[in-house]
Amino acid sequence: MASLFQMKITELKGVGEKRGPLYERLGAPTVGDLLRLYPRAYEDWGHPVLISAAVLGEVNVVRATVVRQPEEHRVKGGKLLYKVTVTDEESDMTLTFFNNRYIPTLLKKGETYLFRGKVTGGFLRKEMVSPQFLPEEKAQGVVPVYPATQGLSSRMISSAVRNALKLLPQPPRDPLPPQLRKQYHLCHLGFALEQIHFPGSEKELELARTRLIFEEFLLLQLGLLSIKNRRREKNLHPVKNEFPTEFTKLLPFSLTGAQERAIREAVKDMSGPSPMNRLVQGDVGSGKTAVAAALCYCVIQSGMQAAMMAPTEILAGQHYASLSALLEPAGVKATLLTGSTKAKEKAEIYQGLQTGEIQLTIGTHALLSEGVAFQDLGLVITDEQHRFGVEQRSRLAHKGSSPHLLVMSATPIPRTLALMMYGDLDISVLDELPPGRQKIETYLIDSPKRPRAFRFVQKHLDEGRQGYLICPLIEEDETGMMSVEEYGKLVRKCFPTAAVGLLHGRMKSGEKEAVMNEFSSGRLQLLVSTTVVEVGVDVPNAVIMLIENAERYGLSQLHQLRGRIGRGRFKSTCILITDAQNEDTVKRLKLFRDTSDGFQIADADLKLRGPGDFFGSRQHGLPKLKIADMTNDLEVLKKAQQCAKELLGENRLMGEEYRELRAEVKRLFEKAGNGGTPVL
Ligand code: ADP
Ligand code: MG
């Protein structure tokens, strides 16, 4: 098998130089990859029905004989149309094909074919438009459907796969050795590859699928875990194993139990034998920032520097404001570094970081710039990690020599998935909100009720509170949705006495910051904004949020948005406005209205949108999953995780019988090029 990954796809029988690039585009530059290009579906040709039994409006397979040579018709625009009459002895059916000049040569009078397509027409005369067809003798059982592309049909791929299978040694070397297959009830690789492409039966296909899914999860998990093990290098930045009691005195509140636990876990890591790699996962508002501040404090007290990276300038600015307010009284020198930092100031910051005079720097991607170098970087923190790739995380870490790493994420994900997504990290969960928080009331209304909602908002402004009005677009577009500018005008008219600010992604960062500061300080009462406020923004006096065109957002995004309110001691309300009628949309929004638990929401989101979106940005730098599905194949995932742990824990993986498996892990991760090659 391994050698087939060396064999270029163009060397395969039937694949010429011309089609080579097409296969490459599909992710199969080699013969080995082609065998791993699994069908995305299967068509059952094995159970043809009589024309009389074919169900109208559904896809049916019918065995029938061509009665007359296809008749050619010319229709409007010079297009060609072919009508073909076929019979199964009992009844006739009409087939229509458009613009396919080959029909007369492909369908011969007197010959029998299987036709597959949606049945239209009526009970008296059934029809199929542009059905697929195969000569009777070629149409056997289940036919694989591949992700075809322009110039490369599923059928061509299928025949190339047939040729590729012939090149496999019999039996091929299996990266999963016999005792492991036995332990986990898995079939042999050779059987799995045969069956996944050309299944003999449902049952055999299922066996093949399970085996391949298991293998895929296992490889991913082994790779991630061994990257993590590799980081078990020496801890070059030890801190004292002491809870930072001095720090807690700087806080205006006392820590929650969960915050305290997370800090203890992290301090233990940082004082241990190897660098910390920890994820702090906590729902919006659970107080991740205080945890980050505590750890910065520890590291800085031990004479080292800390850096924190956030995905937006607003957020970086806000973290800077809160961390510097907390830590400067303790003598910490902190700076903010973003894309809009002026050149002169930038130079000073670079200088200060290099000499160690600046102990804490908070910023955006700007922290990754060439000029940024540290005197002694002890701790790297990335906030809202789901917006960063593995690669960016490690680029910041490489600014130091094996610094401690803390990743903060507000996306609550089930633990098994977290293990896969963040398989290379230890996890602390903030499962407790600061005391005194009230449940956020959420309402779902349609736009005719907007005036009432506005009056409700006004009432809160009168009581001295603030509010967010979220609308989706920057500019007016043809869909009739309002732009921030337009909406702002409406808002100003409806709230003539209120101080209203506008915020959107295309503003210059200085402007954004100014608006945000005015809102934070309470000078602005209402903030009309796009989702730029989505991530992390913290204004406890803001207690009301109105979201226009709520149907436009995914559940997790809504949850992030709603997390901007309910942050202080006042009761908060979120109002979703939508005129959407679509059943699924309404269901989704109602679920959101009735649920405040981030884990439940993330779960539902995962089910609704599939893992693609969810893992999208995060998967960057990880091998792509070809057959396994993080949500649907959870049972297999758990088994594979178990297996990976056993193999690494007992050091079995280094045995001779696992040579093939080790090589596979390496190959996958090297291909993904995430800069972290597993050491096996
Ligand atoms: P997130 O986890 O969403 O990043 P933040 O760190 O922004 O949450 O904290 C949300 C709000 O809760 C902030 O106003 C913060 O000052 C406050 N807060 C954090 N921890 C506590 C606590 N233990 N007691 C009271 N308020 C807290
Ligand atoms: Mg936050």
Side-chain angles (χ1 to χ4, degrees), residues 236-280:
L236 302 175
H237 308 279
V239 302
K240 269 187 279 163
N241 187 4
E242 253 171 41
F243 186 79
T245 315
E246 291 300 311
F247 167 77
T248 57
K249 293 189 188 139
L250 302 169
L251 287 171
F253 44 73
S254 45
L255 294 169
T256 64
Q259 283 171 320
E260 197 175 316
R261 206 175 327 119
I263 295 171
R264 276 187 203 286
E265 284 166 345
V267 169
K268 187 153 172 257
D269 286 353
M270 294 196 293
S271 61
S274 41
M276 169 172 79
N277 282 291
R278 185 166 287 278
L279 168 72
V280 171

mmCIF file of all heavy atoms in Angstrom, residues 236-280:
data_model
loop_
_atom_site.group_PDB
_atom_site.id
_atom_site.type_symbol
_atom_site.label_atom_id
_atom_site.label_comp_id
_atom_site.label_asym_id
_atom_site.label_seq_id
_atom_site.Cartn_x
_atom_site.Cartn_y
_atom_site.Cartn_z
ATOM 1 N N LEU A 236 11.353 25.179 30.441
ATOM 2 C CA LEU A 236 12.411 26.183 30.559
ATOM 3 C C LEU A 236 11.939 27.413 31.332
ATOM 4 O O LEU A 236 12.700 28.332 31.570
ATOM 5 C CB LEU A 236 12.889 26.613 29.167
ATOM 6 C CG LEU A 236 13.412 25.505 28.263
ATOM 7 C CD1 LEU A 236 13.735 26.039 26.876
ATOM 8 C CD2 LEU A 236 14.646 24.873 28.880
ATOM 9 N N HIS A 237 10.635 27.436 31.632
ATOM 10 C CA HIS A 237 10.090 28.626 32.288
ATOM 11 C C HIS A 237 9.285 28.252 33.530
ATOM 12 O O HIS A 237 8.094 28.522 33.606
ATOM 13 C CB HIS A 237 9.189 29.394 31.319
ATOM 14 C CG HIS A 237 9.840 29.684 30.011
ATOM 15 N ND1 HIS A 237 10.701 30.738 29.839
ATOM 16 C CD2 HIS A 237 9.788 29.046 28.830
ATOM 17 C CE1 HIS A 237 11.134 30.744 28.592
ATOM 18 N NE2 HIS A 237 10.598 29.728 27.956
ATOM 19 N N PRO A 238 9.934 27.621 34.488
ATOM 20 C CA PRO A 238 9.178 27.185 35.668
ATOM 21 C C PRO A 238 8.715 28.377 36.513
ATOM 22 O O PRO A 238 9.438 29.367 36.632
ATOM 23 C CB PRO A 238 10.192 26.334 36.435
ATOM 24 C CG PRO A 238 11.529 26.800 35.973
ATOM 25 C CD PRO A 238 11.364 27.284 34.568
ATOM 26 N N VAL A 239 7.486 28.294 37.009
ATOM 27 C CA VAL A 239 7.021 29.286 37.974
ATOM 28 C C VAL A 239 6.905 28.568 39.314
ATOM 29 O O VAL A 239 6.936 27.338 39.364
ATOM 30 C CB VAL A 239 5.647 29.892 37.585
ATOM 31 C CG1 VAL A 239 5.706 30.531 36.225
ATOM 32 C CG2 VAL A 239 4.547 28.839 37.641
ATOM 33 N N LYS A 240 6.736 29.353 40.369
ATOM 34 C CA LYS A 240 6.576 28.724 41.681
ATOM 35 C C LYS A 240 5.217 28.037 41.745
ATOM 36 O O LYS A 240 4.225 28.582 41.278
ATOM 37 C CB LYS A 240 6.681 29.772 42.783
ATOM 38 C CG LYS A 240 8.110 29.938 43.274
ATOM 39 C CD LYS A 240 8.161 30.869 44.477
ATOM 40 C CE LYS A 240 8.134 32.315 44.029
ATOM 41 N NZ LYS A 240 7.825 33.342 44.916
ATOM 42 N N ASN A 241 5.171 26.843 42.304
ATOM 43 C CA ASN A 241 3.893 26.142 42.393
ATOM 44 C C ASN A 241 3.079 26.699 43.551
ATOM 45 O O ASN A 241 2.903 26.075 44.580
ATOM 46 C CB ASN A 241 4.117 24.639 42.563
ATOM 47 C CG ASN A 241 2.793 23.882 42.482
ATOM 48 O OD1 ASN A 241 1.751 24.486 42.223
ATOM 49 N ND2 ASN A 241 2.828 22.591 42.720
ATOM 50 N N GLU A 242 2.593 27.918 43.335
ATOM 51 C CA GLU A 242 1.859 28.583 44.403
ATOM 52 C C GLU A 242 0.668 29.290 43.803
ATOM 53 O O GLU A 242 0.793 29.959 42.777
ATOM 54 C CB GLU A 242 2.762 29.639 45.043
ATOM 55 C CG GLU A 242 3.254 29.252 46.410
ATOM 56 C CD GLU A 242 4.301 30.247 46.879
ATOM 57 O OE1 GLU A 242 4.108 31.458 46.653
ATOM 58 O OE2 GLU A 242 5.311 29.791 47.450
ATOM 59 N N PHE A 243 -0.448 29.179 44.458
ATOM 60 C CA PHE A 243 -1.612 29.897 43.979
ATOM 61 C C PHE A 243 -1.364 31.399 44.163
ATOM 62 O O PHE A 243 -0.917 31.825 45.220
ATOM 63 C CB PHE A 243 -2.845 29.455 44.771
ATOM 64 C CG PHE A 243 -4.106 30.037 44.230
ATOM 65 C CD1 PHE A 243 -4.699 29.483 43.112
ATOM 66 C CD2 PHE A 243 -4.666 31.158 44.810
ATOM 67 C CE1 PHE A 243 -5.847 30.030 42.587
ATOM 68 C CE2 PHE A 243 -5.813 31.716 44.287
ATOM 69 C CZ PHE A 243 -6.414 31.155 43.178
ATOM 70 N N PRO A 244 -1.615 32.212 43.121
ATOM 71 C CA PRO A 244 -1.266 33.639 43.218
ATOM 72 C C PRO A 244 -2.234 34.437 44.096
ATOM 73 O O PRO A 244 -3.046 35.214 43.605
ATOM 74 C CB PRO A 244 -1.321 34.108 41.763
ATOM 75 C CG PRO A 244 -2.268 33.173 41.091
ATOM 76 C CD PRO A 244 -2.163 31.863 41.807
ATOM 77 N N THR A 245 -2.112 34.251 45.388
ATOM 78 C CA THR A 245 -3.014 34.915 46.330
ATOM 79 C C THR A 245 -2.917 36.437 46.206
ATOM 80 O O THR A 245 -3.921 37.151 46.285
ATOM 81 C CB THR A 245 -2.679 34.492 47.767
ATOM 82 O OG1 THR A 245 -2.495 33.077 47.768
ATOM 83 C CG2 THR A 245 -3.791 34.844 48.724
ATOM 84 N N GLU A 246 -1.679 36.906 45.973
ATOM 85 C CA GLU A 246 -1.479 38.351 45.825
ATOM 86 C C GLU A 246 -2.344 38.902 44.690
ATOM 87 O O GLU A 246 -2.904 39.990 44.783
ATOM 88 C CB GLU A 246 -0.001 38.654 45.508
ATOM 89 C CG GLU A 246 0.944 38.388 46.652
ATOM 90 C CD GLU A 246 0.573 39.241 47.862
ATOM 91 O OE1 GLU A 246 0.380 40.460 47.676
ATOM 92 O OE2 GLU A 246 0.440 38.689 48.974
ATOM 93 N N PHE A 247 -2.424 38.113 43.630
ATOM 94 C CA PHE A 247 -3.210 38.552 42.472
ATOM 95 C C PHE A 247 -4.676 38.718 42.837
ATOM 96 O O PHE A 247 -5.323 39.687 42.459
ATOM 97 C CB PHE A 247 -3.065 37.556 41.318
ATOM 98 C CG PHE A 247 -4.070 37.764 40.216
ATOM 99 C CD1 PHE A 247 -3.902 38.791 39.295
ATOM 100 C CD2 PHE A 247 -5.204 36.959 40.120
ATOM 101 C CE1 PHE A 247 -4.840 39.002 38.288
ATOM 102 C CE2 PHE A 247 -6.141 37.176 39.126
ATOM 103 C CZ PHE A 247 -5.961 38.190 38.209
ATOM 104 N N THR A 248 -5.218 37.770 43.581
ATOM 105 C CA THR A 248 -6.654 37.819 43.881
ATOM 106 C C THR A 248 -6.997 39.094 44.643
ATOM 107 O O THR A 248 -8.116 39.580 44.569
ATOM 108 C CB THR A 248 -7.101 36.587 44.697
ATOM 109 O OG1 THR A 248 -6.324 36.532 45.891
ATOM 110 C CG2 THR A 248 -6.927 35.306 43.914
ATOM 111 N N LYS A 249 -6.005 39.646 45.333
ATOM 112 C CA LYS A 249 -6.256 40.900 46.059
ATOM 113 C C LYS A 249 -6.438 42.062 45.098
ATOM 114 O O LYS A 249 -7.004 43.101 45.450
ATOM 115 C CB LYS A 249 -5.111 41.185 47.028
ATOM 116 C CG LYS A 249 -5.068 40.164 48.152
ATOM 117 C CD LYS A 249 -4.079 40.556 49.227
ATOM 118 C CE LYS A 249 -3.927 39.426 50.228
ATOM 119 N NZ LYS A 249 -2.526 39.240 50.646
ATOM 120 N N LEU A 250 -5.927 41.913 43.887
ATOM 121 C CA LEU A 250 -6.073 42.986 42.900
ATOM 122 C C LEU A 250 -7.458 42.979 42.257
ATOM 123 O O LEU A 250 -7.872 43.945 41.635
ATOM 124 C CB LEU A 250 -5.023 42.829 41.785
ATOM 125 C CG LEU A 250 -3.551 42.830 42.196
ATOM 126 C CD1 LEU A 250 -2.670 42.397 41.038
ATOM 127 C CD2 LEU A 250 -3.151 44.211 42.693
ATOM 128 N N LEU A 251 -8.164 41.856 42.391
ATOM 129 C CA LEU A 251 -9.465 41.718 41.722
ATOM 130 C C LEU A 251 -10.582 42.416 42.498
ATOM 131 O O LEU A 251 -10.587 42.399 43.731
ATOM 132 C CB LEU A 251 -9.837 40.234 41.598
ATOM 133 C CG LEU A 251 -9.097 39.389 40.577
ATOM 134 C CD1 LEU A 251 -9.464 37.917 40.766
ATOM 135 C CD2 LEU A 251 -9.443 39.835 39.157
ATOM 136 N N PRO A 252 -11.536 43.006 41.765
ATOM 137 C CA PRO A 252 -12.670 43.637 42.438
ATOM 138 C C PRO A 252 -13.717 42.615 42.882
ATOM 139 O O PRO A 252 -14.744 42.990 43.427
ATOM 140 C CB PRO A 252 -13.243 44.567 41.358
ATOM 141 C CG PRO A 252 -12.846 43.937 40.067
ATOM 142 C CD PRO A 252 -11.541 43.226 40.319
ATOM 143 N N PHE A 253 -13.493 41.351 42.612
ATOM 144 C CA PHE A 253 -14.463 40.316 43.011
ATOM 145 C C PHE A 253 -13.687 39.106 43.488
ATOM 146 O O PHE A 253 -12.462 39.056 43.339
ATOM 147 C CB PHE A 253 -15.364 39.922 41.838
ATOM 148 C CG PHE A 253 -14.628 39.731 40.540
ATOM 149 C CD1 PHE A 253 -13.823 38.617 40.343
ATOM 150 C CD2 PHE A 253 -14.732 40.678 39.503
ATOM 151 C CE1 PHE A 253 -13.147 38.444 39.144
ATOM 152 C CE2 PHE A 253 -14.050 40.504 38.309
ATOM 153 C CZ PHE A 253 -13.264 39.390 38.126
ATOM 154 N N SER A 254 -14.369 38.131 44.072
ATOM 155 C CA SER A 254 -13.627 36.911 44.388
ATOM 156 C C SER A 254 -13.879 35.884 43.291
ATOM 157 O O SER A 254 -14.945 35.842 42.678
ATOM 158 C CB SER A 254 -13.995 36.383 45.775
ATOM 159 O OG SER A 254 -15.388 36.412 45.941
ATOM 160 N N LEU A 255 -12.868 35.053 43.077
ATOM 161 C CA LEU A 255 -12.935 34.086 41.963
ATOM 162 C C LEU A 255 -14.032 33.049 42.200
ATOM 163 O O LEU A 255 -14.335 32.712 43.339
ATOM 164 C CB LEU A 255 -11.593 33.364 41.839
ATOM 165 C CG LEU A 255 -10.400 34.211 41.422
ATOM 166 C CD1 LEU A 255 -9.108 33.415 41.618
ATOM 167 C CD2 LEU A 255 -10.535 34.631 39.958
ATOM 168 N N THR A 256 -14.578 32.549 41.107
ATOM 169 C CA THR A 256 -15.498 31.421 41.246
ATOM 170 C C THR A 256 -14.659 30.169 41.496
ATOM 171 O O THR A 256 -13.446 30.157 41.239
ATOM 172 C CB THR A 256 -16.310 31.180 39.957
ATOM 173 O OG1 THR A 256 -15.405 30.806 38.909
ATOM 174 C CG2 THR A 256 -17.084 32.416 39.537
ATOM 175 N N GLY A 257 -15.318 29.121 41.968
ATOM 176 C CA GLY A 257 -14.615 27.870 42.209
ATOM 177 C C GLY A 257 -13.949 27.360 40.938
ATOM 178 O O GLY A 257 -12.813 26.886 40.958
ATOM 179 N N ALA A 258 -14.655 27.511 39.824
ATOM 180 C CA ALA A 258 -14.128 27.011 38.550
ATOM 181 C C ALA A 258 -12.893 27.807 38.119
ATOM 182 O O ALA A 258 -11.916 27.233 37.637
ATOM 183 C CB ALA A 258 -15.208 27.082 37.476
ATOM 184 N N GLN A 259 -12.945 29.114 38.310
ATOM 185 C CA GLN A 259 -11.780 29.937 37.956
ATOM 186 C C GLN A 259 -10.577 29.534 38.809
ATOM 187 O O GLN A 259 -9.462 29.372 38.300
ATOM 188 C CB GLN A 259 -12.091 31.428 38.188
ATOM 189 C CG GLN A 259 -12.965 32.041 37.107
ATOM 190 C CD GLN A 259 -13.432 33.443 37.501
ATOM 191 O OE1 GLN A 259 -13.776 33.704 38.653
ATOM 192 N NE2 GLN A 259 -13.433 34.342 36.533
ATOM 193 N N GLU A 260 -10.841 29.353 40.085
ATOM 194 C CA GLU A 260 -9.751 28.998 40.979
ATOM 195 C C GLU A 260 -9.139 27.663 40.586
ATOM 196 O O GLU A 260 -7.921 27.505 40.536
ATOM 197 C CB GLU A 260 -10.279 28.950 42.416
ATOM 198 C CG GLU A 260 -9.159 28.995 43.418
ATOM 199 C CD GLU A 260 -9.670 29.066 44.852
ATOM 200 O OE1 GLU A 260 -10.620 29.842 45.110
ATOM 201 O OE2 GLU A 260 -9.118 28.338 45.681
ATOM 202 N N ARG A 261 -10.001 26.707 40.246
ATOM 203 C CA ARG A 261 -9.529 25.389 39.844
ATOM 204 C C ARG A 261 -8.665 25.487 38.586
ATOM 205 O O ARG A 261 -7.582 24.921 38.508
ATOM 206 C CB ARG A 261 -10.723 24.466 39.584
ATOM 207 C CG ARG A 261 -10.419 23.011 39.759
ATOM 208 C CD ARG A 261 -11.673 22.131 39.611
ATOM 209 N NE ARG A 261 -12.896 22.751 40.078
ATOM 210 C CZ ARG A 261 -13.969 23.012 39.315
ATOM 211 N NH1 ARG A 261 -13.954 22.709 38.028
ATOM 212 N NH2 ARG A 261 -15.046 23.563 39.822
ATOM 213 N N ALA A 262 -9.157 26.240 37.606
ATOM 214 C CA ALA A 262 -8.409 26.376 36.352
ATOM 215 C C ALA A 262 -7.039 26.999 36.609
ATOM 216 O O ALA A 262 -6.031 26.573 36.036
ATOM 217 C CB ALA A 262 -9.203 27.211 35.356
ATOM 218 N N ILE A 263 -6.994 28.008 37.473
ATOM 219 C CA ILE A 263 -5.714 28.660 37.770
ATOM 220 C C ILE A 263 -4.763 27.674 38.453
ATOM 221 O O ILE A 263 -3.597 27.568 38.091
ATOM 222 C CB ILE A 263 -5.923 29.911 38.653
ATOM 223 C CG1 ILE A 263 -6.727 30.960 37.867
ATOM 224 C CG2 ILE A 263 -4.587 30.497 39.101
ATOM 225 C CD1 ILE A 263 -7.189 32.144 38.705
ATOM 226 N N ARG A 264 -5.313 26.915 39.402
ATOM 227 C CA ARG A 264 -4.475 25.918 40.082
ATOM 228 C C ARG A 264 -3.899 24.897 39.099
ATOM 229 O O ARG A 264 -2.719 24.564 39.146
ATOM 230 C CB ARG A 264 -5.276 25.162 41.138
ATOM 231 C CG ARG A 264 -5.342 25.877 42.444
ATOM 232 C CD ARG A 264 -6.003 25.028 43.533
ATOM 233 N NE ARG A 264 -6.533 25.898 44.565
ATOM 234 C CZ ARG A 264 -5.782 26.531 45.459
ATOM 235 N NH1 ARG A 264 -4.469 26.361 45.451
ATOM 236 N NH2 ARG A 264 -6.316 27.330 46.358
ATOM 237 N N GLU A 265 -4.773 24.415 38.205
ATOM 238 C CA GLU A 265 -4.312 23.417 37.222
ATOM 239 C C GLU A 265 -3.188 23.987 36.368
ATOM 240 O O GLU A 265 -2.186 23.331 36.100
ATOM 241 C CB GLU A 265 -5.481 22.965 36.330
ATOM 242 C CG GLU A 265 -6.423 21.993 37.037
ATOM 243 C CD GLU A 265 -7.762 21.780 36.309
ATOM 244 O OE1 GLU A 265 -8.115 22.582 35.406
ATOM 245 O OE2 GLU A 265 -8.449 20.810 36.650
ATOM 246 N N ALA A 266 -3.384 25.239 35.937
ATOM 247 C CA ALA A 266 -2.392 25.859 35.060
ATOM 248 C C ALA A 266 -1.082 26.125 35.793
ATOM 249 O O ALA A 266 0.002 25.895 35.252
ATOM 250 C CB ALA A 266 -2.950 27.151 34.473
ATOM 251 N N VAL A 267 -1.185 26.587 37.041
ATOM 252 C CA VAL A 267 0.035 26.861 37.806
ATOM 253 C C VAL A 267 0.813 25.565 38.027
ATOM 254 O O VAL A 267 2.042 25.533 37.938
ATOM 255 C CB VAL A 267 -0.312 27.539 39.156
ATOM 256 C CG1 VAL A 267 0.907 27.581 40.074
ATOM 257 C CG2 VAL A 267 -0.848 28.932 38.914
ATOM 258 N N LYS A 268 0.064 24.508 38.254
ATOM 259 C CA LYS A 268 0.714 23.206 38.455
ATOM 260 C C LYS A 268 1.475 22.811 37.179
ATOM 261 O O LYS A 268 2.623 22.390 37.231
ATOM 262 C CB LYS A 268 -0.351 22.163 38.782
ATOM 263 C CG LYS A 268 0.211 20.834 39.165
ATOM 264 C CD LYS A 268 -0.746 20.078 40.081
ATOM 265 C CE LYS A 268 -0.263 18.659 40.312
ATOM 266 N NZ LYS A 268 -1.008 17.673 39.541
ATOM 267 N N ASP A 269 0.815 22.986 36.041
ATOM 268 C CA ASP A 269 1.482 22.708 34.761
ATOM 269 C C ASP A 269 2.779 23.506 34.638
ATOM 270 O O ASP A 269 3.822 22.980 34.290
ATOM 271 C CB ASP A 269 0.603 23.143 33.574
ATOM 272 C CG ASP A 269 -0.572 22.211 33.346
ATOM 273 O OD1 ASP A 269 -0.644 21.169 34.013
ATOM 274 O OD2 ASP A 269 -1.414 22.540 32.485
ATOM 275 N N MET A 270 2.642 24.814 34.901
ATOM 276 C CA MET A 270 3.774 25.707 34.632
ATOM 277 C C MET A 270 4.935 25.497 35.595
ATOM 278 O O MET A 270 6.046 25.928 35.329
ATOM 279 C CB MET A 270 3.314 27.173 34.676
ATOM 280 C CG MET A 270 2.350 27.515 33.548
ATOM 281 S SD MET A 270 2.154 29.286 33.312
ATOM 282 C CE MET A 270 1.325 29.768 34.802
ATOM 283 N N SER A 271 4.645 24.853 36.727
ATOM 284 C CA SER A 271 5.743 24.586 37.652
ATOM 285 C C SER A 271 6.245 23.157 37.478
ATOM 286 O O SER A 271 7.175 22.732 38.149
ATOM 287 C CB SER A 271 5.274 24.807 39.092
ATOM 288 O OG SER A 271 4.213 23.913 39.374
ATOM 289 N N GLY A 272 5.613 22.431 36.561
ATOM 290 C CA GLY A 272 5.955 21.020 36.366
ATOM 291 C C GLY A 272 7.177 20.819 35.490
ATOM 292 O O GLY A 272 7.867 21.761 35.130
ATOM 293 N N PRO A 273 7.420 19.559 35.124
ATOM 294 C CA PRO A 273 8.634 19.224 34.374
ATOM 295 C C PRO A 273 8.618 19.664 32.910
ATOM 296 O O PRO A 273 9.671 19.810 32.313
ATOM 297 C CB PRO A 273 8.695 17.696 34.476
ATOM 298 C CG PRO A 273 7.295 17.271 34.764
ATOM 299 C CD PRO A 273 6.654 18.373 35.517
ATOM 300 N N SER A 274 7.406 19.865 32.314
ATOM 301 C CA SER A 274 7.389 20.276 30.906
ATOM 302 C C SER A 274 6.430 21.446 30.699
ATOM 303 O O SER A 274 5.582 21.712 31.542
ATOM 304 C CB SER A 274 7.018 19.087 30.028
ATOM 305 O OG SER A 274 5.997 18.343 30.627
ATOM 306 N N PRO A 275 6.550 22.138 29.563
ATOM 307 C CA PRO A 275 5.731 23.335 29.350
ATOM 308 C C PRO A 275 4.226 23.043 29.375
ATOM 309 O O PRO A 275 3.800 21.949 29.023
ATOM 310 C CB PRO A 275 6.130 23.818 27.953
ATOM 311 C CG PRO A 275 7.294 23.034 27.532
ATOM 312 C CD PRO A 275 7.424 21.855 28.415
ATOM 313 N N MET A 276 3.462 24.036 29.781
ATOM 314 C CA MET A 276 2.003 23.888 29.802
ATOM 315 C C MET A 276 1.436 23.976 28.382
ATOM 316 O O MET A 276 1.882 24.764 27.562
ATOM 317 C CB MET A 276 1.400 25.014 30.645
ATOM 318 C CG MET A 276 -0.118 25.112 30.524
ATOM 319 S SD MET A 276 -0.837 26.286 31.685
ATOM 320 C CE MET A 276 -0.494 27.840 30.867
ATOM 321 N N ASN A 277 0.445 23.111 28.106
ATOM 322 C CA ASN A 277 -0.356 23.207 26.878
ATOM 323 C C ASN A 277 -1.785 23.048 27.302
ATOM 324 O O ASN A 277 -2.283 21.940 27.401
ATOM 325 C CB ASN A 277 -0.055 22.042 25.933
ATOM 326 C CG ASN A 277 1.226 22.246 25.189
ATOM 327 O OD1 ASN A 277 1.306 23.118 24.339
ATOM 328 N ND2 ASN A 277 2.209 21.445 25.523
ATOM 329 N N ARG A 278 -2.468 24.121 27.595
ATOM 330 C CA ARG A 278 -3.785 23.949 28.208
ATOM 331 C C ARG A 278 -4.854 24.779 27.515
ATOM 332 O O ARG A 278 -4.620 25.894 27.069
ATOM 333 C CB ARG A 278 -3.704 24.302 29.689
ATOM 334 C CG ARG A 278 -4.988 24.054 30.458
ATOM 335 C CD ARG A 278 -4.776 24.101 31.954
ATOM 336 N NE ARG A 278 -4.076 22.922 32.452
ATOM 337 C CZ ARG A 278 -4.675 21.749 32.715
ATOM 338 N NH1 ARG A 278 -5.966 21.601 32.523
ATOM 339 N NH2 ARG A 278 -3.972 20.744 33.156
ATOM 340 N N LEU A 279 -6.014 24.154 27.396
ATOM 341 C CA LEU A 279 -7.191 24.843 26.869
ATOM 342 C C LEU A 279 -8.106 25.181 28.035
ATOM 343 O O LEU A 279 -8.418 24.316 28.844
ATOM 344 C CB LEU A 279 -7.938 23.913 25.904
ATOM 345 C CG LEU A 279 -9.350 24.340 25.476
ATOM 346 C CD1 LEU A 279 -9.290 25.512 24.517
ATOM 347 C CD2 LEU A 279 -10.082 23.180 24.817
ATOM 348 N N VAL A 280 -8.506 26.454 28.121
ATOM 349 C CA VAL A 280 -9.527 26.810 29.101
ATOM 350 C C VAL A 280 -10.802 27.051 28.324
ATOM 351 O O VAL A 280 -10.879 27.927 27.480
ATOM 352 C CB VAL A 280 -9.160 28.064 29.906
ATOM 353 C CG1 VAL A 280 -10.338 28.514 30.757
ATOM 354 C CG2 VAL A 280 -7.978 27.775 30.797
#
